[in-house]
Amino acid sequence: MILLGLLLVFGLAGLALVAFMDNDGLFSTSVGAVEMFGYQADLSVGEVFLIGAGAGALVLVGLFMLFGGAGRRARRRMASRRELQAQRAENLDLKRKHDSIATELAAQRAAEAGAADAEREIEAERAARDAKLAREAKLDREAEIEAEERLSTR
């Protein structure tokens, strides 16, 4: 749209310039023969004025098209930037949530590992106590056996 507007503006400006340069008698009733793009026309001052007014109107239409296209493009850019900022903010928020969840998970795993370690320590203490009790029981049985042997030998 912008390119079409520029082409229209430049084309009409060139057309108006050619019509002005070919007009020898500005204030006479007959302008004379005007040649544009291989065509020759015998124009009066009024006709040249109307052609100029039409060219000016078309220049204005071209400018409206030019600025309208530029404005639309600027609005699209602004909307795109806002969307990009929103996506970046959302990504940052998601990253923060991910980091907090990862931290919580690491803490939970550490607590579970700590609980597992504590449970292993308790199991190890039980096993050590059971082993100690088993040794003491074995020593007590051996002591009883020795005591019975001493009594039986007498």
Side-chain angles (χ1 to χ4, degrees), residues 122-137:
I122 291 171
E123 292 273 341
E125 288 176 7
R126 283 184 190 156
R129 191 177 15 167
D130 289 342
K132 185 179 176 184
L133 288 174
R135 272 182 279 157
E136 288 178 3

Side-chain angles (χ1 to χ4, degrees), residues 47-154:
E47 292 171 335
V48 171
F49 175 75
L50 290 176
I51 290 172
L58 287 176
V59 165
L60 284 177
V61 168
L63 287 173
F64 280 128
M65 290 171 69
L66 176 75
F67 290 121
R72 192 174 311 115
R73 190 169 181 192
R75 283 189 298 273
R76 281 187 203 151
R77 275 195 211 131
M78 290 295 288
S80 176
R81 284 184 192 143
R82 279 189 219 114
E83 185 178 334
L84 182 62
Q85 287 175 348
Q87 286 176 351
R88 286 181 179 166
E90 184 180 355
N91 285 344
L92 185 62
D93 186 41
L94 288 174
K95 186 176 180 182
R96 286 181 185 151
K97 285 181 183 178
H98 176 265
D99 290 343
S100 68
I101 289 172
T103 304
E104 289 175 11
L105 182 61
Q108 184 181 7
R109 285 182 178 163
E112 287 175 1
D117 288 344
E119 200 172 305
R120 278 189 230 120
E121 288 178 16
I122 291 171
E123 292 273 341
E125 288 176 7
R126 283 184 190 156
R129 191 177 15 167
D130 289 342
K132 185 179 176 184
L133 288 174
R135 272 182 279 157
E136 288 178 3
K138 185 178 179 184
L139 289 174
D140 285 340
R141 272 187 257 132
E142 289 175 359
E144 284 178 8
I145 292 173
E146 283 180 15
E148 285 179 6
E149 286 178 0
R150 275 191 238 145
L151 287 174
S152 64
T153 53
R154 287 191 192 174

Side-chain angles (χ1 to χ4, degrees), residues 23 25-32 42-48:
N23 190 2
L26 290 176
F27 297 107
S28 65
T29 55
S30 175
V31 181
D42 198 23
L43 300 174
S44 69
V45 174
E47 292 171 335
V48 171

Side-chain angles (χ1 to χ4, degrees), residues 18 22 34-41:
V18 167
D22 286 341
V34 177
E35 186 177 328
M36 288 186 287
F37 306 113
Y39 296 102
Q40 188 172 3

